[in-house]
Amino acid sequence: MDSALSETPAPARPAVPLRRRIRPVWWVAATLVALTLIALSPMWINDMRLDGLVDRVRSYPLPPGTEPNIAIQGKVGLQVGDSNHCDYVVRLSLRTTLPAAALIKYYETTTIRGVNGAPLSGEVYFAQGKGPRPVIVEFLELHDAGLDLRCR
C-alpha cells in the first residue's frame, strides 16, 4: 500500500505568470503615491503663495536711512493662536537710523498686497541702542487652514 501512495505524483500547481504576481505591488505603490500627492499639494500651494508674498515684501522700497541686515524670512503654518487657520509670516530684518515713529508710520501705511490681495501693513519691533538700530518688520496674514497639515 505504501508503494501505491508514493507512486502517484501530486498534482502540479500551474505556474503564475510574473506579471500577475507583481500587479498587487503596483497597486499598492500607485495608491501610496496618490495619497502622498493629495496630502502634499495643499502645502505646495501655500508655499507658492508665501513665496509671492516674500517677493512683494522684498521688492517694496526701503525707507531712507535703512538698509537690509539679514536675509528676509518667510514661514507658513500655525504661528499664532489655536488651530484651524493658516498664518503667513514674513520677517524683514533691517538696520536704520530713522526715529521709531517715522519707521512705524512708513510700514503702517504700506500698500503691500497680501496673499489674497488685501493690503497688508507691517508691525515694527525695535532693539535698544544708539546709532543704526536693528529692526524687525513683520507682516502677518491669517487664512483658513484648508487641507494644509501644518495649519492644524
Side-chain angles (χ1 to χ4, degrees):
M1 195 73 85
D2 290 334
S3 65
L5 289 177
S6 63
E7 289 178 15
T8 56
R13 291 175 64 193
V16 178
L18 181 62
R19 195 180 308 175
R20 186 176 281 170
R21 284 185 285 173
I22 293 179
R23 189 175 297 159
V25 174
W26 285 109
W27 278 107
V28 169
T31 302
L32 289 175
V33 168
L35 290 174
T36 301
L37 290 176
I38 289 170
L40 292 180
S41 61
M43 293 181 198
W44 295 334
I45 291 169
N46 282 340
D47 286 342
M48 287 189 315
R49 291 176 180 165
L50 178 67
D51 288 343
L53 180 59
V54 167
D55 289 342
R56 288 189 294 278
V57 169
R58 182 180 290 132
S59 64
Y60 196 79
L62 295 176
T66 305
E67 61 186 28
N69 190 13
I70 303 174
I72 194 168
Q73 180 185 38
K75 190 172 183 183
V76 64
L78 189 60
Q79 307 294 318
V80 178
D82 292 334
S83 63
N84 206 24
H85 68 276
C86 218
D87 305 331
Y88 295 85
V89 177
V90 177
R91 288 184 185 96
L92 181 61
S93 178
L94 305 171
R95 292 187 69 76
T96 187
T97 57
L98 287 177
L103 196 63
I104 289 171
K105 184 175 181 182
Y106 182 83
Y107 279 106
E108 281 180 348
T109 60
T110 58
T111 55
I112 294 175
R113 188 172 43 90
V115 174
N116 283 344
L120 192 60
S121 62
E123 184 78 26
V124 182
Y125 302 96
F126 290 95
Q128 300 299 323
K130 297 188 183 220
R133 295 181 300 187
V135 176
I136 301 286
V137 182
E138 183 177 271
F139 297 89
L140 173 67
E141 190 169 2
L142 299 120
H143 290 282
D144 183 43
L147 297 176
D148 193 333
L149 298 176
R150 298 172 293 185
C151 303
R152 297 278 171 192

